[in-house]
Structures are given as C-alpha cells and as structure tokens.
Amino acid sequence: MKTYYIKKEGIDDYVNRETKKKMRISTIGFFIFFILMFAFTYSYGVHKILMLPLAIFFLIILGVIYTSSLSQIKNLIDLTCFVFSEESVSKLLDKEQLNLMNKVGVSRNEHRYGVKFNQTIKFSNIESSTIKANEIVIKSRDYDFTTGNGKITIPKEIEDYETIKAEIIKNADVYKLV
C-alpha cells in the first residue's frame, strides 16, 4: 500500500485550476441569468436601467466567490491523500484537520446531497481510467455525475505522478485504461 500527497510546491497550481473550474460554472450561470433578465425586461424598457447595476453586482459576487474559494480549496487539497493498494485506489480527506468553513461544507454536502469525500474504488469495480494532460481520472461502475461519487481524480501535482501514470499504463487492463 502506497500513500501519496500533493506536493507543497504544486498546491497553488492545482488550487488555481480547480478554482477556475468553479468560476467557469458560476460565469455560465450568471450569463444565462442575464440573458433571461434581458429577455423578460426588454419589452418594458427597464433593461436600460437594470442591466448595468446587475452586471456590477454580479461581478462583485464573482470576485467574492473567487477569492473565498482559493483558501477553501487549498485547505481541502492540503488534507487530501491518495492510497494505492493491491486491490483498490482511494482518495481520503482528513476531515478532523479541516478549517471550520470546510467542516461545515463537507458535513452539509455529505448529509444533504450524499457526496462522499472519502472514496475507494476496487479494481474489480473500475469502469474506465483516462489519462489527461493535467490529471488521471478513474471512474467506477457506480459513478454519479451529480455528486461526483465513484470518481477519483489524481492531479499531476501529486508526488511521483509519473510513476503512478507509468503503473496505470503498465496495468492498463486492471485500470481499464481508455
């Protein structure tokens, strides 16, 4: 059994990449909201008055989301480890060491939505593995798109990334490499 952590010098790159993913989703949501607002207020002529203050307000909200996400994601990434054993791959989060905001968020997401932050995928349950430019994605047969359960993403900033990548390529049939 081997345990790997994300390298300290690679944490900032990984945090920025994950934060940008969240920002893309938020920006798309706000863009759709603005299109709907424009469509519903255009016939009344109110869009000339409402759109600029709303745009400024939502840009401020996006800025707050971005800056607050940086520290929260960094705390989560700092306390995450990946374990490779003879029969499974695991992603584990040390929940006891999380800051208060993340403890509340993790607890809420686990109880309300069923999100599992500690995940183990047995080799017999792997549906597919994909090696991308910045990460290795391992999905199980019971992968749930809405919660992310059943999916382990191994970032390139992990210790011995090239060794892990070579091991997955060597055992392509076990990891069901696509």
Side-chain angles (χ1 to χ4, degrees), residues 123-135:
F123 292 144
S124 60
N125 200 25
I126 291 178
E127 182 177 309
S128 69
S129 298
T130 310
I131 298 177
K132 298 181 179 180
N134 293 322
E135 60 195 14

Side-chain angles (χ1 to χ4, degrees), residues 155-167:
K156 71 177 183 180
E157 290 81 11
I158 195 172
E159 303 167 339
D160 296 329
Y161 176 76
E162 292 301 323
T163 308
I164 294 168
K165 184 176 170 181
E167 185 69 25

Side-chain angles (χ1 to χ4, degrees), residues 11-23:
I11 287 180
D12 289 335
D13 292 335
Y14 187 45
V15 167
N16 286 332
R17 201 167 59 245
E18 290 298 309
T19 304
K20 285 177 185 175
K21 283 181 190 176
K22 283 188 174 190
M23 290 306 294

Side-chain angles (χ1 to χ4, degrees), residues 4-177:
Y4 299 96
Y5 293 89
I6 296 171
K7 295 183 283 191
K8 296 295 180 196
E9 59 271 4
I11 287 180
D12 289 335
D13 292 335
Y14 187 45
V15 167
N16 286 332
R17 201 167 59 245
E18 290 298 309
T19 304
K20 285 177 185 175
K21 283 181 190 176
K22 283 188 174 190
M23 290 306 294
R24 270 188 238 126
I25 293 168
S26 300
T27 304
I28 290 168
F30 285 138
F31 184 71
I32 291 170
F33 175 77
F34 280 120
I35 289 173
L36 291 173
M37 280 294 293
F38 185 78
F40 288 121
T41 61
Y42 185 75
S43 62
Y44 300 109
V46 187
H47 67 283
K48 295 175 185 172
I49 301 167
L50 285 178
M51 294 313 276
L52 182 62
L54 275 175
I56 292 169
F57 177 71
F58 282 117
L59 284 173
I60 291 170
I61 288 176
L62 279 174
V64 169
I65 290 172
Y66 181 78
T67 54
S68 66
S69 290
L70 288 174
S71 64
Q72 300 307 320
I73 291 174
K74 184 173 183 174
N75 183 240
L76 283 170
I77 290 171
D78 247 349
L79 300 171
T80 300
C81 72
F82 298 88
V83 179
F84 288 81
S85 70
E86 293 78 30
E87 60 208 31
S88 65
V89 178
S90 301
K91 179 180 178 181
L92 305 173
L93 177 64
D94 184 5
K95 296 177 192 171
E96 298 301 317
Q97 301 296 320
L98 289 174
N99 63 28
L100 182 62
M101 285 294 289
N102 277 338
K103 279 185 182 178
V104 170
V106 164
S107 176
R108 181 197 68 221
N109 288 341
E110 285 179 340
H111 290 88
R112 183 179 289 174
Y113 304 114
V115 176
K116 297 177 185 167
F117 288 90
N118 292 333
Q119 296 191 48
T120 299
I121 300 176
K122 293 186 184 267
F123 292 144
S124 60
N125 200 25
I126 291 178
E127 182 177 309
S128 69
S129 298
T130 310
I131 298 177
K132 298 181 179 180
N134 293 322
E135 60 195 14
I136 299 169
V137 179
I138 301 171
K139 292 182 183 176
S140 73
R141 289 190 180 103
D142 26 322
Y143 168 60
D144 182 3
F145 173 75
T146 58
T147 62
N149 293 341
K151 176 181 169 184
I152 295 178
T153 303
I154 303 164
K156 71 177 183 180
E157 290 81 11
I158 195 172
E159 303 167 339
D160 296 329
Y161 176 76
E162 292 301 323
T163 308
I164 294 168
K165 184 176 170 181
E167 185 69 25
I168 290 173
I169 292 171
K170 186 174 97 176
N171 298 311
D173 56 326
V174 173
Y175 287 94
K176 297 180 181 68
L177 191 59

